[in-house]
């Protein structure tokens, strides 16, 4: 791969595309929580005093948090409303989990890397803070619980 090709794929000014079950929900300027933790179990072996065996245990994933500027599109709240309140009751109190995908896009819109999140559902939405003297952009955040993720080939 030439250096020129690499330079064109730099992630400066990148955005993140968020989809649920293949349906585009929106583009975001910030994604947090792309992380996995593996518990480590120590096993003490009789007669072995120099170390204890370390074995991998249960995996856990924090909730994802997506942040973007406020838009006229209400797809975030619509998805949240399907998973809670009257939308949840209207679905027989059954939670519809989906497969979420976050795709890193370069400044020129090229898909660079993608991750799928299994069993995703929204758990929190936070709207903008209103302050008359503030010069900060109005933003919204969505927090999503899930059962883990894996990288997806593009």
């Amino acid at each position: 791969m030439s250096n020129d090709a690499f330079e064109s794929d730099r992630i400066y000014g990148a955005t993140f595309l968020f989809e649920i079950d293949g349906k585009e929900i929106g583009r975001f300027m910030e994604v947090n929580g792309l992380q996995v933790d593996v518990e480590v179990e120590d096993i003490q072996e009789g007669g072995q005093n120099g170390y204890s065996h370390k074995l991998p245990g249960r995996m856990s994933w924090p909730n994802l948090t997506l942040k973007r500027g406020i838009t006229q599109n209400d797809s975030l709240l619509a998805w949240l409303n399907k998973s809670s309140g009257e939308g949840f009751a209207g679905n027989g109190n059954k939670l519809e989990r989906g497969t979420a995908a976050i795709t890193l896009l370069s400044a020129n819109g090229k898909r660079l890397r993608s991750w799928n999140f299994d069993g995703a559902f929204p758990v929190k939405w936070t709207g903008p803070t209103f302050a008359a003297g503030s010069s900060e952009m109005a933003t919204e955040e969505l927090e999503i619980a899930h059962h883990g993720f894996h990288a997806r080939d593009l």
Side-chain angles (χ1 to χ4, degrees), residues 1 7 10 15 24 29 37 59 80-81 87 95 99 101-102 107 109 112 117 122 136 138 146 151:
M1 180 179 217
E7 290 295 322
R10 292 272 185 183
T15 58
E24 184 174 326
M29 59 187 184
D37 295 312
M59 298 169 72
L80 177 67
N81 289 333
L95 180 62
T99 299
I102 293 177
L112 299 175
F117 298 83
E136 291 188 25
H146 60 92

Side-chain angles (χ1 to χ4, degrees), residues 19-22 61 63 79 82-84 88 91 93-100 117-123 144-148:
E19 300 167 290
I20 295 293
D21 295 327
W61 300 268
N63 289 346
W79 185 43
K82 284 176 55 178
S83 302
S84 61
F88 181 70
N91 195 31
N93 294 331
K94 294 180 182 174
L95 180 62
E96 286 189 28
R97 294 175 183 261
T99 299
F117 298 83
D118 302 319
F121 65 99
V123 295
I144 302 162
H146 60 92
H147 287 161

Side-chain angles (χ1 to χ4, degrees), residues 129-141:
T129 300
F130 297 110
S134 176
S135 61
E136 291 188 25
M137 176 174 59
T139 61
E140 64 181 338
E141 291 184 22

Side-chain angles (χ1 to χ4, degrees), residues 37-117:
D37 295 312
V38 179
E39 291 178 12
V40 176
E41 185 177 345
D42 285 329
I43 304 293
Q44 306 292 325
E45 180 182 359
Q48 176 53 265
N49 295 327
Y51 62 90
S52 60
H53 298 278
K54 300 208 179 267
L55 300 175
R58 190 176 302 253
M59 298 169 72
S60 63
W61 300 268
N63 289 346
L64 290 171
T65 303
L66 308 174
K67 185 176 182 178
R68 71 176 180 185
I70 290 289
T71 69
Q72 292 182 352
N73 184 327
D74 70 349
S75 56
L76 294 182
L77 286 174
W79 185 43
L80 177 67
N81 289 333
K82 284 176 55 178
S83 302
S84 61
E86 291 178 12
F88 181 70
N91 195 31
N93 294 331
K94 294 180 182 174
L95 180 62
E96 286 189 28
R97 294 175 183 261
T99 299
I102 293 177
T103 303
L104 172 63
L105 303 172
S106 68
N108 63 6
K110 182 178 177 184
R111 291 175 180 245
L112 299 175
R113 183 83 192 262
S114 187
W115 297 267
N116 278 1
F117 298 83

Side-chain angles (χ1 to χ4, degrees), residues 14-29:
T15 58
F16 307 91
L17 174 64
F18 180 65
E19 300 167 290
I20 295 293
D21 295 327
K23 180 182 176 189
E24 184 174 326
I25 299 295
R27 293 176 187 232
F28 292 81
M29 59 187 184

